[in-house]
Amino acid sequence: MTQSSMPELARKPSAGFDLKLWGPFLALAGLIVLGTLVNPVFLSPANLANVLTRTAFTGIIAVGATFVITTGGIDLSVGSLAAFTAGVMIVVMNALVGPMGAGMGAGWPVVLVGMLAAVGLGLVAGLVNGLLVTKGRIEAFIVTLGTMGIFRSLVTYLADGGTLSLNSGMRAVYRPVYYGGLFGIPTPVLVFAAVALIGAVILYRTRFGRYCAAIGSNDEVARYSAIDVDRVRLLAFVLQGLCVAIAVILYVPRLGSASATTGVLWELEAIAAVIIGGTMLKGGHGRIWGTVVGAVMLTLIDNILNLTGAISVYLNGAIQGAIIIVAVLLQRGTASKR
Amino acid sequence: MKLTLGLAAALVAGVLMAPVNGWAQQKIKMGVSIPAATHGWAGGLNWHAQQAKAKLEKQYPNLEVVLVTARDVGRQANDLEDLVSVRNIDALVILPFESAPMTDPVRAVKQAGKFVTVVDRGLTDPSIQDLYVAGNNPEMGKVSAQFMKQKLGGKGDIVVLRGIPTVIDNQRVDAFQEEIKGTQIKVLGMQYANWNRDDGYKVMQDFLSRFPKIDAVWAQDDDIALGVIEAVKQAGREKEMFILGGAGMKDMIKRVMDKDPLVPADVLYPPAMIAEAMEITAKHLVEKAPIKKEYIIEATLVTPENASKYYYPDSPF
């Protein structure tokens, strides 16, 4: 009897409390109003395009993080991995342009190889994290704290402590991937939308997505239900690695460089975006669209602070922190008013 | 039991006698403590320190250079303790992360009887150091402001991108503002860009949205300036303004050399100063060469005329 009533109980809050689901969207709307009040330039198409394009990197990574967190895991290595992948991509492309000669060498084939290298590295890194967590039986926090340090050092080593810069001929070829677009929408925004859409389909419409949530809410029960828990966890990390690679492919053409400062704190931004979006840090509930909104909000806060001279720059961090807490409070507060 | 006691006694005697019988004198140890390569300039710093280590150890066979890098103030203080107690250094060359918090840890090193060279960021108690080698932060802000005044004809709207909130950043910005006081140069906006390209790009994008007319950008740092250049290009507003960076990164010096209209000049703040400090200290340690107490490296304005002198294509910075 209790068993049959369980699904109903679970369904009720999610169906009845739209506010919880819409909380992040409300917070976003609030921020947009605030931004417009602060400076009307905020709503200009150019500014909105800037904000969304900037969001793309952490946003795409956050989509991957949604899966890892939904399974009850965490990945702290994504920022460092992004920097390392960007470094490797630049090194690979520069090396390829060299022997082929700048005349014919600097072209799309080289970019393609660079992209493949990025994707390969992302997948392998995800696999390593995932295997250490599942087969190594180490907490995800510790594993990814370790790989975070490793990737960060590797990029510093690759760059000799300095900055890796992409060959200028290659930059000209690769540039449109960041600066170009379709119908006036910048490419990174389109890719971000596509990644989010695919992420939503995977999380909400596939068996893998449902397994992620099941493992996150209770991995013992999931195991008894004949779910291959380790495999799903591993896949979530691999998916995260892939997302990082995609973000890097969009990031490299922007400034054509990678250094020890690339992607610093992206892991926290991604995790914050996921939580602001309504996914539980302890796992079990994943919300892709919430994550997207969370990522946009984080960029918006920075943007709004840059658009106003009214607040002392020394207080930027405090404002950011306060807005993040209020956003989550709004969401949790409405949820508890059942 | 007797054997162990005897062994221990021998060991103790050995350690006590070591300095006397010249065991430690064979190698003079110089500890070098600098911030890790967390941004471009510090990357250059690390490169120059490593070059100098290799060069000095070759030049003086009885010198050993121990190079340690730290990610924050706390770790740097730990490094100093290790250098003194474990590595047993004879001299310390330090570029402190922050002036005030590092003052006491460096004082402890000095009290342990070591020779102390302070680089770049002065301690709050200058009596500790035996030697001070530094760039001149207020001078850098002043030289930058003078160039702005001259280039703008004393009139115009500018934006300022600051570094990481630190003493260095404050000194530069204060001197800059002091120098433009009384002119018709107006600072429209000021934001931190943390001495890095991504933040330079983001902050500049927002400045470009916010202000329809900007005559010049003081980016203060070459990494920030490179991000700013991309943002300005993306907005298609290259003709409207010029950008003044600082440090002497090779890409920026190259642009000045090539007469890029966006980058008419650069102000030096060379990371090579660490190499200079290490060389002076080593020379003093090994050859007992007499030294001045202070070496201040001036903030030179790099223009197309003198740029080739400051161009190091092999440096990572």
Side-chain angles (χ1 to χ4, degrees):
Chain A
M1 203 196 86
T2 37
Q3 267 216 327
S4 64
S5 67
M6 276 285 277
E8 267 183 62
L9 265 176
R11 206 179 304 133
K12 248 190 203 160
S14 57
F17 289 96
D18 273 345
L19 263 176
K20 182 181 180 187
L21 191 63
W22 295 109
F25 294 88
L26 277 181
L28 177 66
L31 262 189
I32 292 175
V33 171
L34 180 73
T36 319
L37 290 178
V38 158
N39 194 334
V41 166
F42 176 77
L43 280 182
S44 69
N47 188 53
L48 292 181
N50 282 348
V51 167
L52 288 174
T53 317
R54 258 182 240 172
T55 311
F57 312 133
T58 43
I60 290 171
I61 293 174
V63 168
T66 311
F67 284 90
V68 174
I69 294 175
T70 302
T71 61
I74 196 141
D75 191 342
L76 299 175
S77 70
V78 291
S80 303
L81 177 59
F84 180 45
T85 311
V88 168
M89 208 177 161
I90 290 171
V91 169
V92 165
M93 288 195 286
N94 283 352
L96 284 175
V97 167
M100 285 194 217
M104 53 159 275
W108 283 104
V110 179
V111 173
L112 220 58
V113 177
M115 288 178 174
L116 282 177
V119 169
L121 185 61
L123 293 176
V124 169
L127 200 67
V128 168
N129 277 339
L131 282 175
L132 284 171
V133 170
T134 55
K135 301 287 175 235
R137 301 263 159 242
I138 312 172
E139 287 84 349
F141 188 95
I142 295 301
V143 168
T144 57
L145 189 67
T147 48
M148 168 168 111
I150 294 171
F151 296 144
R152 180 68 60 199
S153 299
L154 286 177
V155 69
T156 313
Y157 177 77
L158 265 188
D160 238 345
T163 304
L164 289 164
S165 294
L166 188 57
N167 173 297
S168 59
M170 280 308 303
R171 280 206 67 189
V173 178
Y174 197 178
R175 227 179 117 84
V177 172
Y178 181 83
Y179 292 95
L182 267 182
F183 313 115
I185 305 171
T187 327
V189 179
L190 293 173
V191 176
F192 180 25
V195 168
L197 198 66
I198 295 169
V201 168
I202 295 178
L203 189 61
Y204 301 137
R205 299 263 177 264
T206 67
R207 202 186 296 165
F208 169 73
R210 286 192 296 274
Y211 285 173
C212 282
I215 292 170
S217 15
N218 192 330
D219 59 343
E220 282 307 309
V221 172
R223 195 165 284 124
Y224 295 142
S225 317
I227 295 174
D228 189 345
V229 173
D230 280 356
R231 205 170 139 246
V232 173
R233 284 219 164 113
L234 183 66
L235 268 177
F237 277 103
V238 171
L239 211 57
Q240 171 74 86
L242 178 65
C243 285
V244 171
I246 296 171
V248 168
I249 286 171
L250 296 170
Y251 171 83
V252 170
R254 178 165 87 174
L255 298 174
S257 69
S259 70
T261 55
T262 302
V264 166
L265 294 184
W266 280 8
E267 60 279 348
L268 285 189
E269 259 181 66
I271 294 166
V274 172
I275 306 308
I276 292 173
T279 301
M280 294 286 173
L281 190 54
K282 63 179 183 348
H285 265 289
R287 295 182 199 282
I288 293 287
W289 299 112
T291 297
V292 171
V293 168
V296 173
M297 274 178 62
L298 286 176
T299 330
L300 274 187
I301 299 171
D302 259 346
N303 177 245
I304 292 171
L305 287 170
N306 282 343
L307 288 181
T308 170
I311 299 160
S312 161
V313 287
Y314 300 117
L315 288 174
N316 277 7
I319 309 278
Q320 279 165 345
I323 293 181
I324 291 172
I325 292 175
V326 168
V328 177
L329 205 60
L330 190 72
Q331 180 202 116
R332 302 284 152 87
T334 50
S336 62
K337 269 188 246 149
R338 48 178 76 192
Chain B
M1 184 64 189
K2 252 186 196 156
L3 196 79
T4 21
L5 256 180
L7 205 67
L11 263 175
V12 170
V15 171
L16 285 177
M17 276 162 64
V20 192
N21 61 25
W23 185 40
Q25 275 169 0
Q26 282 178 352
K27 280 259 179 195
I28 298 171
K29 280 195 186 173
M30 179 167 85
V32 180
S33 168
I34 53 176
T38 48
H39 53 89
W41 189 86
L45 185 78
N46 278 265
W47 186 80
H48 282 290
Q50 272 158 9
Q51 298 287 105
K53 172 178 152 75
K55 186 184 149 203
L56 289 172
E57 284 181 342
K58 208 170 145 200
Q59 190 178 348
Y60 305 113
N62 62 338
L63 178 78
E64 187 187 338
V65 179
V66 184
L67 181 64
V68 289
T69 63
R71 265 183 298 158
D72 54 53
V73 179
R75 286 194 176 84
Q76 192 171 33
N78 296 346
D79 281 351
L80 293 193
E81 285 167 11
D82 291 347
L83 281 174
V84 171
S85 62
V86 185
R87 309 300 291 265
N88 199 14
I89 54 166
D90 300 295
L92 172 72
V93 177
I94 181 171
L95 196 151
F97 236 100
E98 289 274 331
S99 305
M102 284 313 294
T103 297
D104 278 329
V106 176
R107 193 197 310 274
V109 174
K110 176 71 191 167
Q111 278 163 355
K114 317 297 180 191
F115 183 90
V116 172
T117 301
V118 175
V119 188
D120 188 33
R121 294 158 212 188
L123 302 174
T124 36
D125 177 4
S127 71
I128 297 169
Q129 69 224 8
D130 295 298
L131 170 65
Y132 182 52
V133 178
N136 194 332
N137 282 304
E139 182 73 13
M140 191 213 190
K142 196 175 153 193
V143 169
S144 303
Q146 282 166 346
F147 178 78
M148 283 268 169
K149 279 202 292 198
Q150 175 233 322
K151 179 92 181 160
L152 290 170
K155 187 174 183 303
D157 296 332
I158 66 168
V159 292
V160 175
L161 288 91
R162 304 184 62 161
I164 294 170
T166 46
V167 182
I168 308 166
D169 181 69
N170 288 345
Q171 285 181 338
R172 289 180 184 178
V173 174
D174 291 348
F176 182 89
Q177 283 180 311
E178 186 60 36
E179 188 64 26
I180 60 167
K181 210 177 262 174
T183 66
Q184 283 174 290
I185 294 176
K186 202 177 143 218
V187 178
L188 296 173
M190 235 192 233
Q191 282 285 351
Y192 285 109
N194 304 316
W195 287 321
N196 100 38
R197 289 186 200 188
D198 286 307
D199 289 343
Y201 177 82
K202 273 192 261 189
V203 170
M204 192 60 205
Q205 268 194 336
D206 290 341
F207 275 154
L208 287 166
S209 310
R210 187 169 147 199
F211 307 113
K213 179 179 151 286
I214 300 171
D215 297 314
V217 182
W218 184 41
Q220 195 215 83
D221 171 77
D222 289 340
D223 262 313
I224 299 180
L226 283 171
V228 168
I229 291 171
E230 283 305 326
V232 172
K233 276 192 182 155
Q234 188 203 17
R237 286 168 68 174
E238 299 101 307
K239 295 236 162 60
E240 184 183 321
M241 64 193 82
F242 70 89
I243 298 148
L244 183 64
M249 185 193 282
K250 61 178 178 188
D251 307 25
M252 292 293 283
I253 301 287
K254 184 93 195 343
R255 281 171 193 265
V256 175
M257 233 158 69
D258 298 345
K259 298 198 168 132
D260 184 337
L262 259 182
V263 187
D266 200 30
V267 181
L268 281 191
Y269 196 80
M273 67 175 74
I274 188 72
E276 204 150 330
M278 286 165 67
E279 275 167 36
I280 300 170
T281 310
K283 205 171 157 67
H284 174 71
L285 278 180
V286 180
E287 298 175 359
K288 305 280 174 261
I291 45 164
K292 286 196 292 182
K293 271 213 72 145
E294 261 192 16
Y295 289 80
I296 303 293
I297 296 156
E298 286 311 313
T300 312
L301 184 73
V302 180
T303 54
E305 287 75 45
N306 65 359
S308 58
K309 245 169 66 189
Y310 304 104
Y311 184 53
Y312 300 102
D314 293 334
S315 160
F317 182 65

